Amino acid sequence: MQWNFQEIHQQAQTEAQAINSPQALEAFRLKYLGKKGLVAAVFASLGTADPSQKAAIGKGANDLRGLVEGLIAAKSAGISTAKVSGEQVDFSLPGTGEVLGHTHILTQTMQEIIAVFEQMGFVTIETPEIETEFNNFTGLNIPIDHPSRDAFDTFYLDAEDPSAQGRRLLLRSHTSPGQVRIMKQHKPPMAVIVPGRVYRPDAVDASHSFMFHQIEGLLVDEKVQFSELKGLLTEFCRRFFGPKVVMRFRPHFFPFTEPSAEVDINAEILGIQRKKWLEILGCGMVNPKVFEAVGYPKGKYKGFAFGMGVERMAMLKYGINDIRLFYENDARFLKQF
Ligand code: DAH
């Protein structure tokens, strides 16, 4: 298609002169700059244009756009005050822009982790942040003299547990009490994840906060093996961090799982310097004592569980080096994700 830009420019100028209302100005704008306008048509014609013509057509389209924008600006100043239903409206004033936000990077990370497990058949259940000592410790086989029960390591509320005389309610220090709650209410088979906030009276620094997020996983059935836990978590890490991820299962101890392991990922391969191996979660086969505590028949079920820190996963995936950034609500940080 041949374009006579000189003629088009003249025509636009003539048309602009005749504009005398905001409606006519808008019609003019649409004719040239709208989605189906002339500038778009000129650009679209580039696709079939003779290669020797392309540069000229591209320049012609850009010049036309510049010209029309200039004409509109000049015209809108002229007709900026018009009567609309008896009111003076100044059309030259800038509009009130909508600032669109988006979900917080921690919410995004939680949603991403949850999505991976839901694709693999897990169901998401949220349980309360205020817990009993039984659910947070005793039911999980954490002994009465365990240091994590100390008030230095757990926030106790000034409220007695209505289900246990003399025992105070607390802010859960991990999402594992979700396991106890869910098993007390439901019979296997089950595959659940429990996301949410947890609280510990830690001094705040680059890697500690008195509130952070965890995601707990629990799968219980009559026949469950450690190899299935390993396969599941390997697949999870591949989907979350990408297919190149290299991980290792390192023996560890948790009272509520036996045997237990911690999972590290290789930070070098993911391009995060600092240390070679970084711990991302704890896991293991559910300790039969936990099944006993929730009232399941002895020896009938097996299961595995795992728990991971959401902040840590986000820090590793997105190269964030200070946990405090998540909670400061500084838009310059949040906008990046
Ligand atoms: N609750 C543990 C913590 O906060 C994490 C954890 C370890 C959860 C092993 C589990 C598990 O379910 O099996 O450190």
Side-chain angles (χ1 to χ4, degrees):
M1 173 126 190
Q2 291 277 341
W3 301 98
N4 184 340
F5 287 111
Q6 211 183 349
E7 208 170 276
I8 296 174
H9 284 199
Q10 249 166 22
Q11 159 115 24
Q13 266 156 340
T14 315
E15 282 175 26
Q17 270 167 18
I19 292 171
N20 59 4
S21 70
Q23 291 81 356
L25 187 65
E26 177 60 6
F28 177 75
R29 190 188 68 78
L30 284 176
K31 174 173 175 185
Y32 288 94
L33 305 181
K35 251 196 217 150
K36 293 182 182 151
L38 193 57
V39 172
V42 177
F43 274 121
S45 74
L46 276 173
T48 53
D50 187 300
S52 68
Q53 297 286 305
K54 285 197 176 176
I57 295 177
K59 181 175 182 318
N62 280 322
D63 288 350
L64 177 60
R65 179 165 50 203
L67 173 79
V68 171
E69 281 170 355
L71 290 170
I72 291 175
K75 244 3 227 193
S76 71
I79 55 166
S80 61
T81 40
K83 279 206 178 281
V84 174
S85 61
E87 260 179 86
Q88 289 287 313
V89 177
D90 185 348
F91 289 101
S92 70
L93 285 176
T96 24
E98 296 276 333
V99 183
L100 275 189
H102 60 73
T103 45
H104 191 281
I105 179 61
L106 280 178
T107 310
Q108 288 178 43
T109 306
M110 292 243 245
Q111 286 171 348
E112 240 176 285
I113 298 172
I114 290 171
V116 173
F117 285 110
E118 287 188 348
Q119 281 159 15
M120 300 197 277
F122 281 70
V123 170
T124 305
I125 301 183
E126 289 185 62
T127 63
E129 291 170 25
I130 294 180
E131 266 300 1
T132 61
E133 257 195 83
F134 182 85
N135 291 343
N136 200 77
F137 297 120
T138 318
L140 291 165
N141 189 39
I142 300 176
I144 203 83
D145 55 356
H146 192 276
S148 67
R149 293 205 188 212
D150 201 284
F152 292 111
D153 286 296
T154 299
F155 284 114
Y156 286 88
L157 302 185
D158 210 357
E160 196 178 84
D161 175 356
S163 64
Q165 224 193 7
R167 295 275 159 201
R168 275 190 295 161
L169 293 172
L170 50 81
L171 292 180
R172 65 179 175 191
S173 56
H174 51 175
T175 42
S176 304
Q179 294 186 30
V180 179
R181 274 190 185 263
I182 292 166
M183 285 193 281
K184 279 200 286 197
Q185 274 178 12
H186 301 275
K187 277 211 171 87
M190 62 170 78
V192 293
I193 48 172
V194 188
R197 294 193 171 97
V198 302
Y199 302 84
R200 292 181 196 175
D202 283 334
V204 178
D205 65 22
S207 50
H208 293 89
S209 161
F210 49 80
M211 185 282 300
F212 57 102
H213 298 76
Q214 286 189 336
I215 294 185
E216 191 79 13
L218 173 71
L219 182 145
V220 187
D221 204 340
E222 290 186 9
K223 286 183 187 149
V224 180
Q225 303 178 10
F226 193 91
S227 57
E228 290 161 335
L229 168 64
K230 203 170 168 189
L232 177 87
L233 292 176
T234 304
E235 183 57 22
F236 164 73
C237 283
R238 285 196 187 131
R239 293 198 198 176
F240 185 77
F241 289 112
K244 278 202 291 192
V245 73
V246 171
M247 46 199 295
R248 70 175 183 192
F249 286 73
R250 181 168 40 75
H252 198 74
F253 173 79
F254 295 104
F256 34 95
T257 43
E258 180 59 32
S260 307
E262 275 188 339
V263 172
D264 300 333
I265 58 165
N266 187 315
E268 271 174 6
I269 288 174
L270 287 182
I272 313 158
Q273 254 77 64
R274 286 192 302 159
K275 259 165 72 179
K276 183 166 176 187
W277 293 103
L278 292 173
E279 177 217 321
I280 57 162
L281 58 86
C283 63
M285 301 305 289
V286 177
N287 191 321
K289 293 201 175 133
V290 177
F291 289 145
E292 208 178 301
V294 299
Y296 284 175
K298 213 175 160 156
K300 181 150 188 211
Y301 297 114
K302 293 205 185 316
F304 61 67
F306 53 89
M308 68 183 80
V310 179
E311 278 79 353
R312 169 149 273 222
M313 300 294 280
M315 288 167 88
L316 291 176
K317 183 160 176 175
Y318 299 104
I320 298 163
N321 57 13
D322 193 322
I323 198 170
R324 290 167 290 199
L325 288 165
F326 290 120
Y327 317 117
E328 282 167 357
N329 284 335
D330 185 333
R332 289 169 302 179
F333 168 73
L334 297 174
K335 264 192 205 156
Q336 297 174 55
F337 306 101

